[in-house]
Amino acid sequence: FVNQIVNEEVTPEDVAACPIAFMEQVSPIPNPAIAASPALFGQRRNSRGWDLTDSADLAAIEAARAPHLHTGFAARPRLAGPVAGAPQIEVANPATGERVGHVIPAAAPDVETALATAHPWDAAASDRAEVLRRAADLYEAEFGPIFALLAREAGKSLADAVAELREAVDFLRYYADQGQGLSAAPRGIFTCISPWNFPLAIFTGQIAAALVAGNAVLAKPAEQTPLIAAFAVDLLLKAGVPATALQLLPGDGSVGALLTRDARVGGVAFTGSTETALAIRRAMVEHLAPTAPLIAETGGLNAMIVDSTALPEQAVRDIIASSFQSAGQRCSALRCLYVQEDIAGPLLHMLAGAMDELAIGDPWHLATDVGPVIDAEAEAGIRAHIEAARAAGRIIKEMKAPAGGTFIAPVMIRVPGIAAMGREIFGPVLHVATFRASDLNQVIEAVNATGYGLTFGLHTRIDDRVQRIVENLHVGNIYVNRNQIGAVVGSQPFGGEGLSGTGPKAGGPDYLLRFTERFAPAAVGLPGTSAEADVQRRLNALTPARQALTVRDLPGPTGESNRLSACQRLPLLCLGPDPASALAQAEAVRALGGLAVEAPGLDPAALSRLHGFSGALHWGAAPRAEARALADRSGPILPLIGGLPDTAHVALERHVCIDTTASGGNAQLLAEVSAGA
């Protein structure tokens, strides 16, 4: 109203009138140019949100979860046959030590029962999709016990629990839509091994993708979080997934080992450590079909750069979230912060002050910002790392952990650079380095040199710098002027490269194909006789193009840009084994925009020595020697492809998310408001 003060036709009383009282009498008029939340992703219904600042939403949450504060939950194998079971194990709350429930782990006979009774889901693709949508609705309807379990078993704060449930629901609906018209044949039986840090979302995402493609799924949740997995499987079965298509096998790593060492398994989806992924790969090549796919999402040494042009308050907000939300137990979490030395003093002072505002404690309480780490083993490992830094005088700031539970207080540690870290510290530990503006290229090189490529954050106001860093970093997900956690399904497809994963990205358009068979013609002629030196020479002559093969703008909220690019991988070796097959393989790779080197009849041992390639194709019978040679390599997991390649075999998926409001205003929103006016 104040803007009318110069209008002589408006009375002083109108100018001074209460704008809130005026707005209460006005019916809102929606702007058709701005998508409402449920329609944010078009035809796919967005997951339900809860406003944790709204008293009505908080009351509804508390009414739904409070009855489960002391409920004793139970988990056991969910099989399509009789259950043998191992001795019962109690499950404790990592924050309080209180009993949450118990689990009866799977025994070796249960694994055999599951394998023997598993049957691919042979319903029509549209019917499978509809069942997943029903499951999504059931997940949302059961938010009370789900929120309770996520807090009590996994140590999730309420904000994290809301985000996790939404991600799980988004996975179900997204893959349902993606698989609606899928016609490719399933792999058969897929083993899905999920982590404890996202015990509902990643667990559900793996299963949903494998199921909608028509596979039978053997689900092995993390041994720390079997209760939420059992609850989810019960909802999926209630929605209509056949018992022969989805079986749950809780237990420790020995159960996972059995599920990745049986020839009846057609593929494995795994999220966890790089070391475990490599061990699974080696087991697969000895026992499964040599070309059975491993879809691995692994860890990262994730960095963030904050330059002298960044908005300090915004940077500190995003550093805090990226480092300490979920007690730092996200594979995407910020591990090493690079601050331009010109602003390091004031920024770190502000960051230390922001850390003082964090509340550490039982995640059941709304006020809690940082909960416990998952168990005593994780606590001991992180604490040893902190104590070593303390002994070296490198602690910048450390908070105090509460007594009891497996808590680690958020801490900042000074390092000379990311190379000094050596390994991922999976907890609320932020390493800080400084850099000179003239050394920015060296920082980028240091991040790339780790071999990991999962997430990266950047705070800057210089557009050219954004472009320069994005073009030169080997990272799967880059976030500009925002935090680097919390990827949204279908908007920010998630997954890394190098030591951080095999691709394709979860929640992205190319994920489902890896769960299907892409048949290729059998070898028809005599094997070729490619020489290793000649193959290496031809690999050296091929360099991936800097320009992206494709660029897609993905949906998301106003004020945020989400762009997915497909960039050429290193060449694929086309092993034939005969020249005609090698040529057909190369043509299939090139048709997708990839690079190929024909090498029919190459000595399998050469695959352990050659460099500069990203995988190999082989259409002959049982190429186990080739699979072993690839599995024995150090570094990234390289696939042996037994059928036609898919897009993610030939291209790296790189996603860039930019908070476009950071330049001082939401230009996109203003444009849409103007268009709808």
Side-chain angles (χ1 to χ4, degrees):
F1 293 98
V2 176
N3 67 313
Q4 302 177 89
I5 195 168
V6 296
N7 187 342
E8 295 181 357
E9 296 181 4
V10 178
T11 67
E13 291 78 12
D14 288 338
V15 172
C18 175
I20 296 175
F22 175 80
M23 291 303 298
E24 288 175 344
Q25 302 172 21
V26 176
S27 299
I29 302 174
N31 186 332
I34 301 175
S37 177
L40 193 62
F41 300 103
Q43 292 184 340
R44 172 170 68 90
R45 179 158 53 98
N46 191 14
S47 54
R48 175 186 175 184
W50 285 266
D51 184 353
L52 300 186
T53 67
D54 182 86
S55 59
D57 275 13
L58 289 173
I61 289 172
E62 194 56 30
R65 71 171 184 159
H68 306 284
L69 176 58
H70 300 293
T71 298
F73 292 90
R76 62 175 180 81
R78 305 289 199 264
L79 306 179
V83 174
Q88 178 176 304
I89 298 172
E90 299 299 304
V91 179
N93 184 327
T96 65
E98 295 173 347
R99 180 181 181 275
V100 182
H102 70 268
V103 57
I104 297 174
D110 296 316
V111 175
E112 175 55 36
T113 297
L115 286 162
T117 58
H119 189 277
W121 192 3
D122 55 6
S126 58
D127 292 340
R128 298 194 299 262
E130 191 53 39
V131 169
L132 293 192
R133 293 188 187 100
R134 284 203 298 271
D137 293 343
L138 288 173
Y139 272 43
E140 290 189 327
E142 295 293 335
F143 72 90
I146 287 175
F147 286 172
L149 268 171
L150 287 171
R152 295 177 60 205
E153 182 182 36
K156 296 271 183 176
S157 69
L158 185 54
D160 282 339
V162 168
E164 176 132 7
L165 174 55
R166 296 193 68 184
E167 184 176 0
V169 169
D170 284 338
F171 271 133
L172 288 164
R173 292 181 180 148
Y174 180 80
Y175 291 140
D177 286 0
Q178 293 282 306
Q180 181 79 36
L182 200 64
S183 59
R187 289 276 176 179
I189 298 175
F190 232 92
T191 292
C192 293
I193 302 175
S194 54
W196 50 261
N197 62 328
F198 283 93
L200 181 67
I202 293 178
F203 178 81
T204 299
Q206 291 178 344
I207 290 170
L211 284 175
V212 82
N215 295 284
V217 175
L218 306 181
K220 210 296 281 186
E223 84 180 278
Q224 295 93 335
T225 52
L227 302 178
I228 187 65
F231 194 90
V233 167
D234 286 347
L235 293 180
L236 286 159
L237 295 174
K238 182 179 179 181
V241 178
T244 53
L246 174 58
Q247 301 184 74
L248 176 71
L249 294 134
D252 60 18
S254 64
V255 175
L258 292 173
L259 292 171
T260 57
R261 294 171 181 265
D262 193 286
R264 289 168 286 186
V265 173
V268 176
F270 169 78
T271 300
S273 73
T274 304
E275 293 75 18
T276 302
L278 291 169
I280 288 172
R281 181 62 176 158
R282 289 190 289 270
M284 288 174 65
V285 301
E286 295 299 331
H287 302 283
L288 277 59
T291 56
L294 169 61
I295 305 169
E297 291 183 48
T298 52
L301 288 179
N302 309 312
M304 177 189 284
I305 291 175
V306 178
D307 74 11
S308 61
T309 71
L311 294 173
E313 296 85 356
Q314 185 181 55
V316 166
R317 176 200 67 189
D318 295 339
I319 293 164
I320 289 286
S322 300
S323 305
F324 304 130
Q325 191 170 328
S326 309
Q329 298 174 117
R330 293 177 181 241
C331 51
S332 57
L334 170 59
R335 306 299 179 195
C336 186
L337 172 67
Y338 280 93
V339 183
Q340 190 171 327
E341 61 181 17
D342 309 70
I343 61 164
L347 186 88
L348 295 181
H349 178 74
M350 188 182 295
L351 183 57
M355 289 175 65
D356 286 333
E357 298 302 311
L358 293 173
I360 312 166
D362 187 343
W364 186 274
H365 304 306
L366 177 62
T368 296
D369 299 304
V370 181
V373 296
I374 191 62
D375 58 23
E377 181 181 358
E379 179 192 8
I382 300 167
R383 199 171 296 285
H385 178 79
I386 295 170
E387 292 306 317
R390 192 189 319 282
R394 295 188 290 111
I395 300 292
I396 301 173
K397 170 75 175 181
E398 184 177 17
M399 299 183 66
K400 184 177 180 180
T406 55
F407 290 96
I408 294 287
V411 59
M412 270 198 293
I413 296 174
R414 182 177 290 104
V415 291
I418 198 167
M421 290 182 58
R423 64 184 179 90
E424 181 181 29
I425 306 302
F426 210 73
V429 181
L430 174 62
H431 303 82
V432 180
T434 59
F435 71 98
R436 294 190 297 269
S438 59
D439 292 338
L440 183 59
N441 286 343
Q442 288 93 313
V443 174
I444 295 171
E445 290 169 3
V447 172
N448 286 337
T450 66
Y452 291 93
L454 190 54
T455 68
F456 176 84
L458 173 62
H459 273 264
T460 183
R461 312 269 280 180
I462 303 173
D463 289 342
D464 288 349
R465 182 163 292 169
V466 173
Q467 190 66 24
R468 170 183 164 196
I469 290 175
V470 166
E471 288 179 351
N472 287 282
L473 271 174
H474 306 157
V475 173
N477 288 75
I478 297 177
Y479 299 90
V480 180
N481 293 328
R482 54 150 287 175
N483 67 56
Q484 62 194 73
I485 60 173
V488 175
V489 175
S491 183
Q492 297 146 6
F494 187 76
E497 57 191 74
L499 296 175
S500 293
T502 61
K505 284 183 179 291
D510 297 320
Y511 193 62
L512 286 189
L513 281 180
R514 199 60 62 87
F515 291 86
T516 66
E517 289 277 14
R518 292 173 58 80
F519 297 105
V524 294
L526 295 175
T529 55
S530 297
E532 180 178 342
D534 178 61
V535 172
Q536 185 63 72
R537 178 185 59 78
R538 287 184 284 141
L539 285 171
N540 294 343
L542 288 178
T543 302
R546 290 180 63 88
Q547 185 175 0
L549 299 173
T550 60
V551 178
R552 309 186 205 190
D553 288 315
L554 301 181
T558 57
E560 186 176 273
S561 166
N562 288 289
R563 181 163 290 181
L564 180 65
S565 301
C567 305
Q568 276 185 337
R569 288 183 183 268
L570 291 169
L572 286 169
L573 289 174
C574 300
L575 302 179
D578 60 284
S581 296
L583 175 60
Q585 292 162 356
E587 289 175 342
V589 169
R590 291 167 186 146
L592 293 172
L595 299 175
V597 169
E598 296 166 47
L602 180 70
D603 179 5
L607 295 175
S608 63
R609 298 186 293 265
L610 291 168
H611 59 85
F613 70 103
S614 62
L617 291 91
H618 194 292
W619 293 349
R624 200 164 299 279
E626 288 82 357
R628 286 186 180 124
L630 290 174
D632 286 342
R633 295 173 62 96
S634 59
I637 296 170
L638 303 186
L640 182 64
I641 305 161
L644 291 169
D646 60 43
T647 302
H649 282 130
V650 307
L652 295 163
E653 299 167 283
R654 290 176 175 164
H655 183 276
V656 179
C657 176
I658 301 176
D659 178 357
T660 59
T661 70
S663 296
N666 191 334
Q668 181 186 356
L669 180 58
L670 290 173
E672 291 178 351
V673 168
S674 299

